[in-house]
Amino acid sequence: MRLKTAILAGALAGAMLTGLGGFARAAGVTDTEIVLGTHLDLSGPVAAAMPQLRNGMQMRFDEANEAGGINGRKVRLIVEDNGSQPQLAVRAVDKLIRSDGVFAIVNAFGSGTNAAVVKRAVDAGVVYFSPWAAAAVLQKISGRSPLLFTTTADYDTTAKAGLGWMIDENKAKKVGFIFQEGPLGELTKIGVVAALEARGMKLAAEASYKVGDIDFSSQVARMKAADVDVILAATLTRETVGVMSEVKKLGWDSVKVVTTIPGRTIVVAEIGKGAVESLYGIGTWYIWPPGSEPADVKVWQEKYRKLFKIEPDENAFLAYAYTDWFVKFGLQPAGRDLTADKVVKGLQESTYSGSPIFYGPKRFKNNHIDPETVQVSQVKNGVWMPVSGMIDPK
Amino acid sequence: MRFAYDTSYSDAQQLLRYRSQWICYGALAIALIVAPWLLPAYYVGELSYLFIVSIASLALMVLTGFTGQVSLGHAAFMAIGAYTHTLLLDQGIGFIPSILGAATLTGFVGFIIGLPAIRVSGLYLAMVTLAYAMLTEQIIGRWKDVTGGFTGIPVSPPSLFGYDLSSLKGFYFLCLVILVAVLLGLINLMRGRTGRAFIGVRDSEAAAATLGIWVGGYKVLAFVISAFVTGIAGALLAHHLQFLTPDGFSVMLSMELVLMVVIGGLGSLRGAIFGAILIGMLPTLISKIKPLLPTSISSQFGLETFVFGLILALFVMFEPNGLNGRWLKLKILFENFPLYRRNTFRRGKTYMHSERYR
């Protein structure tokens, strides 16, 4: 009898607790605070690049908070670790949604990790803004949820446009393809095949590698055996350098290597030194040669250096720009009565031209960034220099 | 102190023999049943996850802790269980036949992988299983028509007899019931003829063979049982993840499982669950204590990896018997207090290595 009462009392207390809990976490918005979350790779293979992302976001939110908050509310950003592993990402997002009760998840990093969690986030009514991941995959998984906004240009359309330009420009006869297994490689391949089919060509050779591989001799040897004119490399930073070093080692000067969006970064030009000289890259944002940045970018860089004591790279600037877009057109216009619906509406109707890093103003078309203008650039004397005009993939 | 005073054979067969055990495990059972109503939603989800890794950890304990065979390939067994279950569910097969089918297929793969175990052991067996795990990851990644490739496939929600179990509480109880069933099954298996044979094979193959134990057969059987149970864990993990990609089943997962078994304490099912709780909770724990640390430390990147490594190193150095060893020592200390002898756990006789035949 006493046990029964105890269980009843326990159950009652529990019901009250959960009831209270549910009330308190009205989707991350209180009278004084907006809680936002993100998950980055803090302990995995790309952990070294993450401080820039975190800093870029934090800087924009700190600015908003110093200006008195957004409609009177301070922004609090919670950063979780996903270690580039889907399981960890799932648990991180479960924590963000269930324990912290975030309003939105912004600038989360990784294709595999975002793919694993985007569905549960939008199902929980959380706004999912600007994941750094293969956009087409996420849009498909989320069931084209209006809560998901993707800002990474599609790997297939950009590869198609960039590779097309390379083929026409160099009158290439044979094209080879080196890719990272996973969404990046699979999506890029769609674009490669489309670009070749449009010109009545076929893929001469293809070779893949796994995340974490450091030796690319067999992949490049396969390209050499097929005697290709152009190699498209769907590679990240370290891997891009690896492929280029291998090409240089063979003394193979006639081949043109072109890398896709993730490989076309300042970091590649910096760590690759001589090895990446003459590498081409397909880009969707400006990379300014050091010293020739626009004035407002220089001011921003100075502020960043002072705050975080490190040199900003373009990822920091991009994270800042995406966050700026979210704050200016998502959170601010929604007013004091902040709801996910209002934020979604604000973002869908927005035209963002607030950051000099983008090739012109950007909009959302079906919740995906538009237009996906690309430009091909080349590493000359260790610096990315534009070599093509602006290409619209559409 | 307590002395067993049996008045019939069935006394010795009871799982819970003393009133204190009934009270302790009863309290644990009640706590686990009311937990979903008492705890915030987040922790209910975490508990479900812990139940799933506990099942996998138990499975590996049978193989590594009881039969003495190292496996770095258990992530692959989980992957096969998860993908098979998902694909069977998509064919419109019910939850129970689907999960049993997934486990059976995984068990069959375990049989095939177990065959080389008759010939190789120790480090070489670890290499064979590691190679198999990498192979499985590649096959799943390349077999696009079936597995969705590296892009992955969504998992349909679990439902049983028309009830949707995808809700937080529903899934919690699903995992709990399966964990209890697996645990009871393994406890009975381990104290029966099969389990005794496993332990015999682990401690000395020569001695086991002399006693008439079919060493090769039991080694493969351990693989099959372990793979079967891991397949069940994989199927549940699929529902937890809701979206399957091959990189979710990397070597990291295998390593974590091995750590759970070693940290928990080899040769004890309780240890497997302790290990699963500790290793499974570490990432959450770290992210919880992070806000309490000064910003100069908490904003350091790589903190997770550091704390993870530190705890593991401390355990290996100071408690090689694992969490279960520590638990037994504490229990005896409390039972005998204040008459505890400091040297209770010192070994009276140490064996020369050469005295043992493998």
Side-chain angles (χ1 to χ4, degrees):
Chain A
M1 191 64 189
R2 245 189 301 168
L3 186 69
K4 226 182 207 170
T5 3
I7 294 173
L8 264 173
L12 215 75
M16 275 169 69
L17 271 172
T18 38
L20 280 174
F23 183 73
R25 42 168 288 231
V29 182
T30 64
D31 276 347
T32 54
E33 214 178 39
I34 304 172
V35 186
L36 303 177
T38 188
H39 53 98
L40 308 172
D41 179 2
L42 306 182
S43 58
V46 284
M50 292 300 114
Q52 299 276 5
L53 252 86
R54 202 269 320 260
N55 294 347
M57 267 187 276
Q58 192 65 55
M59 188 170 161
R60 183 63 187 87
F61 288 134
D62 286 348
E63 283 173 10
N65 289 344
E66 279 159 25
I70 296 166
N71 301 317
R73 293 190 184 97
K74 301 273 185 205
V75 177
R76 182 158 62 93
L77 177 70
I78 299 170
V79 184
E80 288 293 328
D81 179 24
N82 67 27
S84 284
Q85 289 177 57
Q87 276 97 331
L88 279 180
V90 164
R91 297 178 69 190
V93 168
D94 275 352
K95 176 181 176 287
L96 289 175
I97 296 172
R98 290 178 187 158
S99 181
D100 302 317
V102 293
F103 176 72
I105 293 174
V106 289
N107 288 316
F109 186 87
S111 282
T113 45
N114 275 310
V117 299
V118 65
K119 183 86 168 73
R120 62 178 64 208
V122 295
D123 282 353
V126 170
V127 179
Y128 211 84
F129 187 77
S130 184
W132 292 45
V137 175
L138 297 192
Q139 291 285 6
K140 200 178 113 201
I141 294 168
S142 76
R144 305 224 153 258
S145 163
L147 293 169
L148 170 69
F149 289 88
T150 46
T151 52
T152 308
D154 277 330
Y155 293 142
D156 51 350
T157 50
T158 49
K160 183 182 173 213
L163 181 64
W165 182 87
M166 285 295 292
I167 293 171
D168 297 344
E169 187 73 10
N170 297 298
K171 313 237 169 351
K173 297 277 178 299
K174 286 178 174 175
V175 174
F177 180 43
I178 296 178
F179 62 100
Q180 172 169 305
E181 286 165 3
L184 170 63
E186 279 178 15
L187 286 172
T188 310
K189 190 171 177 184
I190 297 172
V192 171
V193 171
L196 292 173
E197 265 174 9
R199 289 163 183 80
M201 296 162 67
K202 272 210 163 71
L203 197 54
E206 62 173 315
S208 71
Y209 70 90
K210 270 176 75 75
V211 182
D213 281 1
I214 47 172
D215 179 69
F216 299 92
S217 49
S218 73
Q219 285 87 349
V220 174
R222 206 177 293 175
M223 298 296 133
K224 179 86 174 149
D227 192 28
V228 298
D229 309 312
V230 171
I231 298 175
L232 187 86
T235 46
L236 306 183
T237 45
R238 198 177 59 188
E239 293 81 359
T240 309
V241 178
V243 168
M244 275 308 279
S245 319
E246 205 57 48
V247 168
K248 290 273 149 88
K249 209 191 284 172
L250 294 176
W252 189 11
D253 294 330
S254 57
V255 72
K256 308 262 190 288
V257 183
V258 55
T259 186
T260 48
I261 301 170
R264 191 273 213 167
T265 74
I266 300 177
V267 184
V268 166
E270 271 173 3
I271 61 174
K273 303 256 160 31
V276 295
E277 194 63 29
S278 82
L279 168 72
Y280 290 85
I282 301 167
T284 50
W285 59 76
Y286 282 109
I287 293 181
W288 299 284
S292 63
E293 298 94 350
D296 48 346
V297 176
K298 276 185 181 153
V299 173
W300 182 88
Q301 286 175 330
E302 199 47 51
K303 188 174 174 197
Y304 185 95
R305 272 185 215 112
K306 207 181 280 170
L307 278 172
F308 302 108
K309 314 272 184 295
I310 50 171
E311 194 61 25
D313 69 4
E314 83 252 46
N315 289 331
F317 203 93
L318 270 178
Y320 181 90
Y322 292 143
T323 312
D324 187 44
W325 191 346
F326 185 65
V327 168
K328 270 194 197 140
F329 294 95
L331 296 179
Q332 257 161 12
R336 183 71 191 157
D337 181 25
L338 185 61
T339 62
D341 285 345
K342 283 189 182 173
V343 170
V344 167
K345 200 156 170 285
L347 288 170
Q348 279 173 342
E349 289 167 357
S350 65
T351 301
Y352 183 73
S353 48
S355 178
I357 196 163
F358 294 124
Y359 296 149
K362 299 282 180 190
R363 288 177 300 279
F364 282 114
K365 192 172 154 191
N366 300 326
N367 280 30
H368 180 66
I369 195 164
D370 183 74
E372 298 179 312
T373 317
V374 300
Q375 187 180 35
V376 179
S377 39
Q378 189 181 19
V379 180
K380 288 176 182 163
N381 299 321
V383 178
W384 285 103
M385 299 297 277
V387 289
S388 80
M390 295 293 163
I391 311 162
D392 192 350
K394 295 284 148 57
Chain B
M1 290 294 276
R2 233 168 6 201
F3 298 99
Y5 185 73
D6 298 341
T7 51
S8 78
Y9 286 114
S10 62
D11 280 355
Q13 290 169 1
Q14 284 173 346
L15 282 176
L16 302 173
R17 299 192 63 176
Y18 308 108
R19 184 194 293 229
S20 60
Q21 285 177 325
W22 277 102
I23 293 173
C24 287
Y25 284 99
L28 179 66
I30 291 172
L32 287 176
I33 289 169
V34 298
W37 285 276
L38 294 180
L39 292 173
Y42 167 62
Y43 292 99
V44 180
E46 285 288 282
L47 274 177
S48 316
Y49 177 73
L50 284 185
F51 294 157
I52 298 168
V53 286
S54 294
I55 296 173
S57 169
L58 283 170
L60 186 61
M61 186 60 88
V62 170
L63 188 68
T64 305
F66 284 93
T67 324
Q69 304 185 85
V70 189
S71 164
L72 289 176
H74 265 56
F77 290 134
M78 284 193 105
I80 293 174
Y83 273 93
T84 314
H85 179 59
T86 307
L87 295 171
L88 287 177
L89 280 183
D90 286 348
Q91 299 297 317
I93 294 169
F95 181 83
I96 293 177
S98 165
I99 200 168
L100 286 178
T104 309
L105 181 76
T106 319
F108 179 71
V109 176
F111 170 72
I112 293 169
I113 303 306
L115 288 178
I118 301 173
R119 298 187 181 278
V120 293
S121 62
L123 206 54
Y124 302 99
L125 181 62
M127 279 155 63
V128 170
T129 50
L130 183 66
Y132 146 72
M134 291 175 144
L135 204 69
T136 308
E137 203 188 333
Q138 282 298 314
I139 291 173
I140 292 174
R142 309 267 168 152
W143 199 1
K144 269 187 218 163
D145 312 337
V146 177
T147 63
F150 289 97
T151 313
I153 43 168
V155 184
S156 7
S159 68
L160 206 55
F161 309 121
Y163 291 101
D164 182 21
L165 292 175
S166 62
S167 73
L168 211 54
K169 289 192 183 79
F171 189 59
Y172 172 90
F173 283 112
L174 177 69
C175 294
L176 181 61
V177 166
I178 294 181
L179 171 64
V180 170
V182 164
L183 183 61
L184 290 178
L186 288 182
I187 288 175
N188 275 315
L189 195 72
M190 285 307 118
R191 62 182 191 160
R193 183 197 186 96
T194 320
R196 300 284 185 230
F198 284 168
I199 295 171
V201 169
R202 175 191 71 189
D203 287 348
S204 169
E205 283 178 23
T210 317
L211 290 171
I213 294 170
W214 185 26
V215 173
Y218 275 107
K219 277 185 158 184
V220 176
L221 181 64
F223 254 100
V224 173
I225 292 172
S226 184
F228 183 88
V229 177
T230 315
I232 295 176
L236 288 176
L237 187 68
H239 288 303
H240 174 74
L241 293 174
Q242 295 173 6
F243 191 82
L244 292 179
T245 49
D247 49 355
F249 302 95
S250 63
V251 179
M252 272 301 290
L253 182 63
S254 295
M255 296 285 187
E256 266 177 33
L257 287 174
V258 171
L259 281 178
M260 283 172 198
V261 172
V262 173
I263 298 282
L266 287 171
S268 130
L269 293 176
R270 195 193 290 122
I273 292 182
F274 281 161
I277 293 172
L278 181 75
I279 303 291
M281 284 306 283
L282 260 186
T284 318
L285 221 65
I286 294 169
S287 93
K288 278 281 166 193
I289 56 169
K290 234 173 144 181
L292 306 175
L293 298 170
T295 11
S296 58
I297 298 176
S298 66
S299 64
Q300 284 292 321
F301 287 86
L303 179 76
E304 283 80 1
T305 328
F306 173 75
V307 177
F308 209 83
L310 182 73
I311 293 180
L312 298 183
L314 289 178
F315 256 100
V316 172
M317 279 162 67
F318 296 110
E319 190 52 272
N321 287 331
L323 286 167
N324 189 52
R326 179 52 51 186
W327 164 259
L328 289 177
K329 285 172 192 168
L330 277 176
K331 207 167 82 172
I332 291 193
L333 172 70
F334 277 110
E335 278 174 4
N336 295 341
F337 193 80
L339 299 173
Y340 184 71
R341 291 182 304 143
R342 188 183 295 164
N343 289 344
T344 306
F345 288 95
R346 172 174 286 183
R347 289 178 63 175
K349 185 181 177 209
T350 47
Y351 290 87
M352 295 296 289
H353 196 64
S354 59
E355 285 178 60
R356 292 179 58 210
Y357 283 97
R358 294 292 301 168

